Amino acid sequence: DTGVSQNPRHKITKRGQNVTFRCDPISEHNRLYWYRQTLGQGPEFLTYFQNEAQLEKSRLLSDRFSAERPKGSFSTLEIQRTEQGDSAMYLCASTLGPGDHTEAFFGQGTRLTVV
Amino acid sequence: GEDVEQSLFLSVREGDSSVINCTYTDSSSTYLYWYKQEPGAGLQLLTYIFSNMDMKQDQRLTVLLNKKDKHLSLRIADTQTGDSAIYFCAESPAGNMLTFGGGTRLMVKP
């Protein structure tokens, strides 16, 4: 297993376009998390899945954002009608189970630039 | 809500010790974590401490936890230029997502 994989690594899009990111977690990990990191800030939680169920969404996740994990394996994060304020690094992480991030692994992120 | 605070910047000379401080508000966290982020790279878990511990040492890293004051620190002994990075402390309230501080940029001068 090569760890948590995110694609694409970089995405430049025009304002108003839709974008979709993909995260492939470590294969036996049941929990998958999405975070957003803007320049000079720490990562902020967006949402997480336990297998295919989306268990919690942050208030940061506006209705333009949607995340799925249809088969409990990879996940996608879609942003519709992108705005310049969506420019950030989007990070994915996975853990084996709840309550313990001592084995949480982060992907290298997808850097989104909205022009 | 949860809040994690860190100082923004720390500069040390190579070979000196670095101490990065963090304060947090949520007392229910089971674990507290330190992550390292290098330019263009993802987050790397450096170390963590269980909330019923006061101290944890892991090679050059020492974590101190003061639960009464909700204060966490990371000491890096014999700091090297390769330690230059941004360091984030994080807590996990309710055992679910991580809440991160804003990060401390460590600069190590040769």
Side-chain angles (χ1 to χ4, degrees):
Chain A
D1 199 324
T2 56
V4 178
S5 175
Q6 291 189 248
N7 287 287
R9 291 290 309 278
H10 303 273
K11 178 71 178 178
I12 300 174
T13 191
K14 290 184 178 178
R15 188 161 47 99
Q17 297 294 305
N18 300 343
V19 294
T20 300
F21 312 139
R22 176 177 169 130
C23 172
D24 287 89
I26 292 173
S27 57
E28 64 268 23
H29 281 189
N30 297 319
R31 283 212 169 181
L32 186 149
Y33 300 81
W34 285 99
Y35 293 84
R36 181 175 71 184
Q37 185 178 20
T38 53
L39 204 60
Q41 303 294 319
E44 296 173 294
F45 167 75
L46 291 178
T47 188
Y48 82 89
F49 293 83
Q50 172 79 26
N51 299 313
E52 66 275 7
Q54 188 173 17
L55 296 187
E56 189 162 345
K57 293 192 283 188
S58 160
R59 58 183 166 77
L60 292 176
L61 210 69
S62 77
D63 56 8
R64 295 185 298 106
F65 287 68
S66 63
E68 293 182 342
R69 195 182 182 197
K71 297 181 182 177
S73 56
F74 73 91
S75 176
T76 57
L77 177 68
E78 181 184 17
I79 309 174
Q80 295 182 325
R81 305 181 303 281
T82 51
E83 301 172 357
Q84 286 189 319
D86 297 331
S87 295
M89 176 77 86
Y90 290 84
L91 296 166
C92 176
S94 69
T95 67
L96 190 58
D100 180 356
H101 283 73
T102 59
E103 295 296 328
F105 293 88
F106 279 82
Q108 291 193 296
T110 294
R111 182 170 295 283
L112 173 66
T113 303
V114 182
V115 297
Chain B
E2 304 85 15
D3 200 12
V4 181
E5 300 283 344
Q6 298 179 239
S7 52
L8 287 176
F9 187 76
L10 176 66
S11 178
V12 300
R13 292 209 174 273
E14 192 173 20
D16 288 349
S17 291
S18 307
V19 179
I20 302 172
N21 295 300
C22 170
T23 57
Y24 61 96
T25 56
D26 195 302
S27 57
S28 66
S29 296
T30 305
Y31 293 98
L32 293 145
Y33 306 84
W34 283 103
Y35 282 84
K36 178 182 181 183
Q37 188 175 43
E38 293 178 276
L43 287 163
Q44 174 195 355
L45 178 64
L46 276 181
T47 187
Y48 60 90
I49 188 167
F50 192 56
S51 58
N52 69 352
M53 297 169 63
D54 298 324
M55 186 182 87
K56 180 181 178 183
Q57 187 151 3
D58 185 359
Q59 299 183 336
R60 293 191 297 123
L61 305 178
T62 303
V63 179
L64 295 178
L65 175 60
N66 181 328
K67 285 194 73 175
K68 175 176 169 289
D69 294 338
K70 295 181 183 174
H71 182 267
L72 182 72
S73 69
L74 173 70
R75 179 176 180 270
I76 306 172
D78 186 26
T79 314
Q80 302 297 306
T81 54
D83 295 323
S84 293
I86 301 175
Y87 291 80
F88 294 95
C89 69
E91 61 173 350
S92 182
N96 293 319
M97 75 295 293
L98 291 167
T99 299
F100 289 87
T104 299
R105 182 178 293 276
L106 174 65
M107 179 179 288
V108 182
K109 298 178 181 177

